[in-house]
Amino acid sequence: QVQLVESGGGSVQAGGSLRLSCAASGRTFSTYAMAWFRQAPGKEREFVGRISRSGGTTYYAESVKGRFTISRDNVENTVYLEMNSLKPGDTAVYYCAAGRTTATVWTMYDYWGQGTQLTVSS
């Protein structure tokens, strides 16, 4: 079992940057692919990006490609979401998720953090 705790959310102006972290408990972190999702009020949970177990492969939603970068540290059991050129449309609660999947659908992931709020003001 994996427990996930996100941190790093906050308020930032458009064009700014922020890095989210997701710390995982357990010794099996490196056996899970990790993903970030987000959910804005009144909207469906949306795929942001994912990273393979080794960290060698990443995949992003078109809406964030070129602006967001996912990385992971399998020694520190942490996955990161580096966000640049932020837009008001990026405002959402951001969740990290762990799963043995390459899916972009949130229902395919097994473990979830509690979420961290990002607010981008214009």
Side-chain angles (χ1 to χ4, degrees):
Q1 192 165 354
V2 178
Q3 292 183 323
L4 304 173
V5 179
E6 300 98 336
S7 61
S11 297
V12 63
Q13 289 193 324
S17 298
L18 205 65
R19 188 177 79 162
L20 305 182
S21 300
C22 173
S25 65
R27 293 180 288 180
T28 60
F29 176 72
S30 63
T31 68
Y32 287 91
M34 298 297 296
W36 287 93
F37 289 79
R38 66 186 182 186
Q39 189 165 18
K43 294 190 176 182
E44 297 273 326
R45 190 165 297 192
E46 176 189 23
F47 172 79
V48 173
R50 68 168 187 258
I51 188 166
S52 62
R53 292 173 294 175
S54 68
T57 303
T58 54
Y59 178 78
Y60 300 95
E62 285 297 322
S63 58
V64 306
K65 194 177 293 184
R67 299 189 298 122
F68 290 13
T69 302
I70 299 175
S71 60
R72 67 188 294 165
D73 185 331
N74 284 347
V75 173
E76 296 295 327
N77 283 6
T78 303
V79 62
Y80 303 98
L81 178 64
E82 184 78 37
M83 303 180 290
N84 298 308
S85 302
L86 283 163
K87 307 174 182 179
D90 294 319
T91 295
V93 177
Y94 283 72
Y95 299 89
C96 66
R100 293 195 168 101
T101 179
T102 59
T104 61
V105 179
W106 69 270
T107 54
M108 297 301 292
Y109 286 81
D110 302 311
Y111 302 103
W112 291 85
Q114 82 289 351
T116 186
Q117 175 72 46
L118 169 68
T119 302
V120 183
S121 58
S122 57

